[in-house]
Amino acid sequence: MIGRGGERMPTNPNETDAAPRQEASEPDTALSRREMLMIGASGAAALATNALAQDRGAPAVATGSVAGLPFRAFVRHGTVGEVLDLELRDIGPTQVVVRTRGSCGCYTITGSVLGNTPMRVPTIPNHSGMGVVEAVGAQVRRVRVGDRVLVSGTPWCGLCKQCLSGTPEWCNYLAPGGVPNDPIASMADGTGVIESAVIGGLSEIIVAYEEYCVPIFSDLPDVEIAMLGDTGAVGIAATSVYDPVQIGQNVVIFGAGPIGLAAVQGARAQSAGKIIVVEPVRYRREKALELGATTVLDPNDDTDTLVERIRDLCAARTDRLEAGGQTRGGGGFVMRGADLVVEASGLERFPPAVERGPDPTGLLALRQAWEVTAPGGSLVTLAVQTGDIAFPASTFCLSGKRIYGGQMAGMNVMRDTERFITAIENGAIDMSELVTSTRPLDEVKEAFQSVADRTELGVVITFPS
Ligand SMILES: [Zn+2]
Ligand SMILES: [Zn+2]
């Protein structure tokens, strides 16, 4: 997910009381819907004809229609999930049709893909993908037919209150009521199918609002770009957006799944001092060491002393206060701790097939992450837990810890995706290290079972081009 994403998306009527609209909303224009669509060769021709008008900000005159285009998608409907043949409906003036090439699996949707909770509205799960633009609505300016594009788990419009206020990770196109989640396709019996998070991803076709689309001007492989729609980008962002790591600073990362391991790489790329990873699964600890962790800890070993051991690892080199040192005391206000802490472990939706952590709710790791954050340090919380957590009020209020509830780790996807691609192209970060398998659409359940089992890191659903 999205850092805190998954099936949280407010525009999914399966998780809200909002009744889904069965028809796409009429475009706000004098042109008919059919006239406003462009597709394939005719679309490209129309685009060329209208390039000047586009550059001046006027909507292009579009021709053709995407309605009726057949495609396959993994659909959760009723109590089942299966690959179905669907028929695309018309798109709106600010929507984009993407021929999918990759969609990275996210732990937060394992329950949606593998579970049997009844779905009121048939839904294509997931919340990111990448591919090639096949058609655009007439008012779309950011991407063009033929563009390689990332459909990010988080939009950026640049104009809403949050985008203008420096919190683009909560662009209002993501918020409840931001954009309608109308059916984008029909099943054989005519029933409408929506996309989870207005993106979906486990589908040969993604219909996305323009604000979710990031054009990609790079030759990086599809699979690596797909990782930047969600987990891979979230981990890099955790170390480089809210409070970027400074040279020599100490970083602690809870969880060495795809997000945590991307954070390890981000910390290493920025020359962090100590990079301490807390992870119960042995192969993930070993991978963390490969990718730049300086210390790995099993949270099941001496769980009660874990926090103190991490604080000691992060302590100043001397206790001589007049020489840059730190006191060892503190009670509720311990000075020793990390400059940046990333919480990326989260709850166990399913019992893993590998080593288990000490707390399946994820709350213990969240508590420990807060405790090892130094006064003045930063905590970025990315994972999803279950239940409530309490902190000592005085320490919570006075300790000077900066806490970031890290939806997409604060990314501005239009600004930061290109930076991350550059770091990958330079070799500072390697997304391919996080991808342990690719699978076709027909193996969605097997792919997400391995994610739920935690036997793999990143799994990308791929589509023949
Ligand atoms: Zn996600
Ligand atoms: Zn916005």
Side-chain angles (χ1 to χ4, degrees):
M1 154 74 314
I2 308 178
R4 278 201 179 276
E7 299 310 274
R8 82 209 182 291
M9 297 306 301
T11 44
N12 184 346
N14 286 301
E15 288 131 36
T16 72
D17 292 325
R21 271 166 275 185
Q22 294 303 310
E23 296 295 331
S25 54
E26 286 298 323
D28 181 21
T29 171
L31 295 173
S32 74
R33 187 160 53 201
R34 178 171 294 272
E35 287 171 319
M36 295 200 322
L37 302 172
M38 61 173 60
I39 183 170
S42 60
L47 192 66
T49 304
N50 292 283
L52 181 60
Q54 271 207 329
D55 287 342
R56 290 179 177 175
V61 176
T63 58
S65 172
V66 292
L69 184 71
F71 67 101
R72 300 169 74 238
F74 180 86
V75 180
R76 276 283 281 109
H77 62 104
T79 57
V80 301
E82 59 185 339
V83 175
L84 295 179
D85 292 315
L86 302 178
E87 200 170 86
L88 194 62
R89 295 187 177 186
D90 270 340
I91 60 172
T94 63
Q95 286 183 308
V96 177
V97 177
V98 177
R99 177 69 63 175
T100 315
R101 285 190 178 171
S103 180
C104 77
C106 177
Y107 189 84
T108 59
I109 71 156
T110 50
S112 171
V113 172
L114 302 173
N116 55 9
T117 305
M119 302 286 276
R120 286 198 296 118
V121 181
T123 302
I124 301 170
N126 214 8
H127 42 252
S128 71
M130 66 79 56
V132 175
V133 174
E134 189 149 313
V136 296
Q139 294 175 12
V140 170
R141 298 180 63 206
R142 187 180 297 180
V143 298
R144 298 179 175 184
V145 171
D147 277 354
R148 200 155 167 253
V149 64
L150 175 69
V151 182
S152 173
T154 291
W156 180 82
C157 78
L159 294 173
C160 74
K161 178 75 171 179
Q162 264 59 42
C163 281
L164 294 171
S165 303
T167 50
E169 73 272 28
W170 276 111
C171 173
N172 279 227
Y173 278 67
L174 181 69
V179 286
N181 193 1
D182 295 319
I184 59 108
S186 302
M187 294 165 59
D189 65 359
T191 304
V193 178
I194 64 170
E195 298 167 309
S196 179
V198 294
I199 297 172
L202 306 181
S203 169
E204 292 173 348
I205 291 287
I206 296 173
V207 175
Y209 288 93
E210 173 181 26
E211 290 77 11
Y212 284 77
C213 296
V214 180
I216 301 298
F217 304 104
S218 165
D219 295 327
L220 282 182
D222 291 342
V223 166
E224 296 183 39
I225 296 297
M227 292 296 289
L228 295 180
D230 193 353
T231 54
V234 170
I236 303 169
T239 62
S240 63
V241 174
Y242 289 124
D243 289 326
V245 175
Q246 296 178 34
I247 292 174
Q249 285 191 325
N250 294 325
V251 179
V252 176
I253 297 162
F254 285 77
I259 295 177
L261 291 171
V264 168
Q265 294 194 63
R268 183 199 58 190
Q270 293 168 101
S271 298
K274 294 187 175 70
I275 303 174
I276 301 165
V277 171
V278 182
E279 166 60 55
V281 182
R282 175 186 294 274
Y283 84 87
R284 293 184 171 198
R285 291 197 302 273
E286 291 170 351
K287 191 70 178 178
L289 286 171
E290 266 179 49
L291 295 177
T294 57
T295 303
V296 292
L297 299 170
D298 182 346
N300 293 310
D301 291 345
D302 296 324
T303 302
D304 292 344
T305 66
L306 181 74
V307 166
E308 266 306 291
R309 284 183 284 137
I310 292 174
R311 285 170 170 165
D312 280 344
L313 285 167
C314 296
R317 294 175 184 234
T318 176
D319 60 1
R320 291 165 44 194
L321 304 189
E322 66 282 8
Q326 277 180 317
T327 173
R328 281 199 55 81
F333 294 93
V334 176
M335 298 296 111
R336 291 166 294 126
D339 301 294
L340 174 66
V341 180
V342 177
E343 206 300 290
S345 54
L347 62 82
E348 292 176 1
R349 289 185 186 276
F350 297 92
V354 290
E355 301 93 320
R356 304 190 70 164
D359 175 19
T361 70
L363 292 179
L364 177 62
L366 181 59
R367 174 60 176 256
Q368 292 168 330
W370 179 74
E371 290 179 337
V372 302
T373 305
S378 303
L379 168 61
V380 181
T381 59
L382 301 172
V384 178
Q385 295 82 17
T386 183
D388 299 321
I389 188 167
F391 294 104
S394 60
T395 318
F396 184 82
C397 293
L398 300 176
S399 61
K401 302 180 184 189
R402 291 188 285 268
I403 302 174
Y404 297 96
Q407 145 60 17
M408 204 71 181
M411 269 187 83
N412 174 330
V413 295
M414 280 296 287
R415 177 195 65 192
D416 297 329
T417 302
E418 181 170 303
R419 292 196 298 123
F420 297 171
I421 285 173
T422 301
I424 295 168
E425 289 174 338
N426 289 347
I429 290 172
D430 188 349
M431 279 293 105
S432 70
E433 289 284 351
L434 307 183
V435 180
T436 45
S437 72
T438 60
R439 287 185 183 260
L441 183 63
D442 288 316
E443 296 179 14
V444 160
K445 285 191 174 179
E446 291 85 346
F448 278 84
Q449 188 63 56
S450 68
V451 173
D453 289 343
R454 299 194 195 272
T455 51
E456 292 203 48
L457 297 171
V459 178
V460 178
I461 305 300
T462 55
F463 302 80
S465 54

